Amino acid sequence: MSMQFEMYMRDMVQPMRDELTRLGIEELRTPEEVEAKFAAAKNGTAVVVVNSVCGCAAGQCRPGVAQALQHSTLPDHLYTVFAGQDKEATAKAREFFAPYPPSSPSIALLKDGQLVHMIERHQIENRSAHEIAQDLTEAFDKYCAK
């Protein structure tokens, strides 16, 4: 892959990254960052958004996450990895999502290091952002309430 193409792709996806980081979601770009942050989140809750360049990420997933983060009950930690861009970090995060197969976009909720709720691509692409937000806020109420 040429350096010029890599720069183009980086510039093209930056707004998609910014859409989540602007909400206070921490982007994890390397497997080492994933390991360190997930280890630190072993006590408590963490939502992990597997971001993507696809239309359902733009139209439903990221807006749904943004709506859900307006809720009164939230996870302790907010993370994102970018499928197809930060491949090694995404692969490391997906190790925590077993038995679910790789899916992007997707949203995982971990409690005390264990997967407790998963929204896969097929549950994103045919639903509205509002429905995804509602799904997430119900999971937040169930697993994140103190």
Side-chain angles (χ1 to χ4, degrees):
M1 192 179 316
S2 76
M3 181 61 107
Q4 185 177 7
F5 181 74
E6 286 181 35
M7 297 279 292
Y8 168 78
M9 287 303 295
R10 208 170 318 145
D11 291 345
M12 190 176 99
V13 301
Q14 191 60 50
M16 299 172 206
R17 293 177 184 279
D18 294 345
E19 200 171 338
L20 293 177
T21 58
R22 188 171 33 242
L23 299 170
I25 300 174
E26 185 176 357
E27 189 169 45
L28 307 177
R29 308 278 309 258
T30 68
E32 295 78 18
E33 288 176 341
V34 171
E35 287 178 1
K37 295 297 180 172
F38 282 26
K42 283 250 186 211
N43 294 318
T45 54
V47 71
V48 184
V49 180
V50 178
N51 202 354
S52 173
V53 298
C54 71
C56 63
Q60 292 105 296
C61 184
R62 292 190 299 266
V65 169
Q67 287 178 31
L69 293 181
Q70 301 303 307
H71 192 57
S72 58
T73 302
L74 297 173
D76 301 312
H77 307 278
L78 308 171
Y79 302 127
T80 183
V81 293
F82 207 116
Q85 300 299 307
D86 301 321
K87 294 175 185 177
E88 295 84 9
T90 303
K92 179 53 74 178
R94 285 177 170 155
E95 291 176 11
F96 292 84
F97 307 159
Y100 293 92
S103 174
S104 59
S106 60
I107 308 162
L109 181 63
L110 305 171
K111 181 171 183 160
D112 298 332
Q114 300 299 309
L115 181 69
V116 292
H117 190 76
M118 187 74 180
I119 302 174
E120 298 176 89
R121 178 187 175 99
H122 71 87
Q123 297 167 304
I124 292 171
E125 59 191 351
N126 295 314
R127 294 166 67 198
S128 69
H130 176 75
E131 290 169 315
I132 293 162
Q134 187 172 14
D135 186 338
L136 279 173
T137 57
E138 288 172 6
F140 293 169
D141 286 341
K142 182 174 181 179
Y143 297 106
C144 303
K146 305 276 186 221

